[in-house]
C-alpha cells in the first residue's frame, strides 16, 4: 500500500509529456516590421517527398493589398511569400521570397534570432544587393 501511494505521488509530480516539437522552429504566424502583413509558416511538400518551409499571407492591411495589386498580385491573402526554405546552417534557412508589390521572386535567407524574432533577407544579383527585415512572431 505504501509503495502504491509513493508511486502515485511520484506520478502526480511528474510533468505532462511535452507536445511534439514543430517540424521547423519557424512554424507560426509572423508579422512584418510595419505589421501590415501577417504570414503563417509551415511545412510544404517538395518534389522529393520531403518537406520544406513555406509561408502564406493570412492577413494584410488595405495598403499592402493595394500595393500587391499594383505589382500584379490581385489576391494577396493566401499568396505564398516564403517558398521552399531548407536548413542552411545553425538557425538559418535558404529559399525564395516573393515580393508581391514587385511581382518578383528573390533568393532569401531566414535567420532565427530568438524564439519570437526572425531576420528575413532577400537578395538580387547573386546576393550582391540585399535587404533585411526583422519579423516578430504574433
Amino acid at each position: 500500500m505504501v509503495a502504491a501511494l509513493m508511486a502515485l505521488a511520484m506520478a502526480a509530480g511528474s510533468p505532462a509529456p511535452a507536445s511534439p516539437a514543430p517540424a521547423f522552429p519557424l512554424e507560426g504566424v509572423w508579422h512584418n516590421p510595419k505589421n501590415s502583413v501577417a504570414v503563417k509558416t509551415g511545412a510544404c511538400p517538395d518534389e522529393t517527398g520531403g518537406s520544406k518551409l513555406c509561408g502564406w499571407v493570412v492577413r494584410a492591411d488595405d495598403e499592402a493589398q493595394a500595393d500587391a495589386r499594383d505589382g500584379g498580385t490581385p489576391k494577396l491573402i493566401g499568396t505564398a511569400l516564403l517558398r521552399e526554405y531548407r536548413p542552411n546552417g545553425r538557425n538559418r534557412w535558404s529559399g525564395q521570397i516573393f515580393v508581391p508589390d514587385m511581382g518578383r521572386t528573390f533568393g532569401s535567407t531566414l535567420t532565427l534570432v530568438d524564439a519570437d524574432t526572425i531576420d528575413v533577407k532577400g537578395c538580387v544579383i547573386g546576393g550582391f544587393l540585399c535587404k533585411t527585415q526583422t519579423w516578430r512572431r504574433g
Side-chain angles (χ1 to χ4, degrees), residues 98-110:
F98 176 67
V99 181
D101 54 341
M102 297 176 73
R104 295 190 52 205
T105 303
F106 300 98
S108 172
T109 58
L110 305 176

Side-chain angles (χ1 to χ4, degrees), residues 96-120:
Q96 301 287 313
I97 188 163
F98 176 67
V99 181
D101 54 341
M102 297 176 73
R104 295 190 52 205
T105 303
F106 300 98
S108 172
T109 58
L110 305 176
T111 304
L112 184 65
V113 176
D114 61 41
D116 295 320
T117 310
I118 56 173
D119 283 339
V120 180

Side-chain angles (χ1 to χ4, degrees), residues 8 27 35 41-42 90 94 103 116 121 125:
L8 182 60
E27 283 188 35
N35 199 27
T41 57
R90 182 173 165 81
S94 295
D116 295 320
K121 181 178 180 180
I125 311 173

Side-chain angles (χ1 to χ4, degrees), residues 25-134:
L26 298 183
E27 283 188 35
V29 177
W30 298 90
H31 302 272
N32 69 346
K34 294 171 146 182
N35 199 27
S36 58
V37 174
V39 175
K40 181 175 177 145
T41 57
C44 54
D46 71 10
E47 61 282 350
T48 65
S51 67
K52 297 178 182 177
L53 180 78
C54 294
W56 302 268
V57 177
V58 292
R59 181 192 54 77
D61 68 15
D62 292 341
E63 183 179 346
Q65 291 185 57
D67 289 346
R69 279 191 301 275
D70 291 346
T73 304
K75 184 175 179 254
L76 184 55
I77 307 291
T79 297
L81 294 189
L82 306 178
R83 300 174 178 180
E84 301 183 351
Y85 285 81
R86 289 185 182 261
N88 183 15
R90 182 173 165 81
N91 295 326
R92 183 179 157 126
W93 291 259
S94 295
Q96 301 287 313
I97 188 163
F98 176 67
V99 181
D101 54 341
M102 297 176 73
R104 295 190 52 205
T105 303
F106 300 98
S108 172
T109 58
L110 305 176
T111 304
L112 184 65
V113 176
D114 61 41
D116 295 320
T117 310
I118 56 173
D119 283 339
V120 180
K121 181 178 180 180
C123 298
V124 297
I125 311 173
F128 183 67
L129 297 172
C130 300
K131 180 178 179 181
T132 302
Q133 289 185 342
T134 300

Side-chain angles (χ1 to χ4, degrees), residues 9-19:
M10 287 176 34
S14 298
S19 58

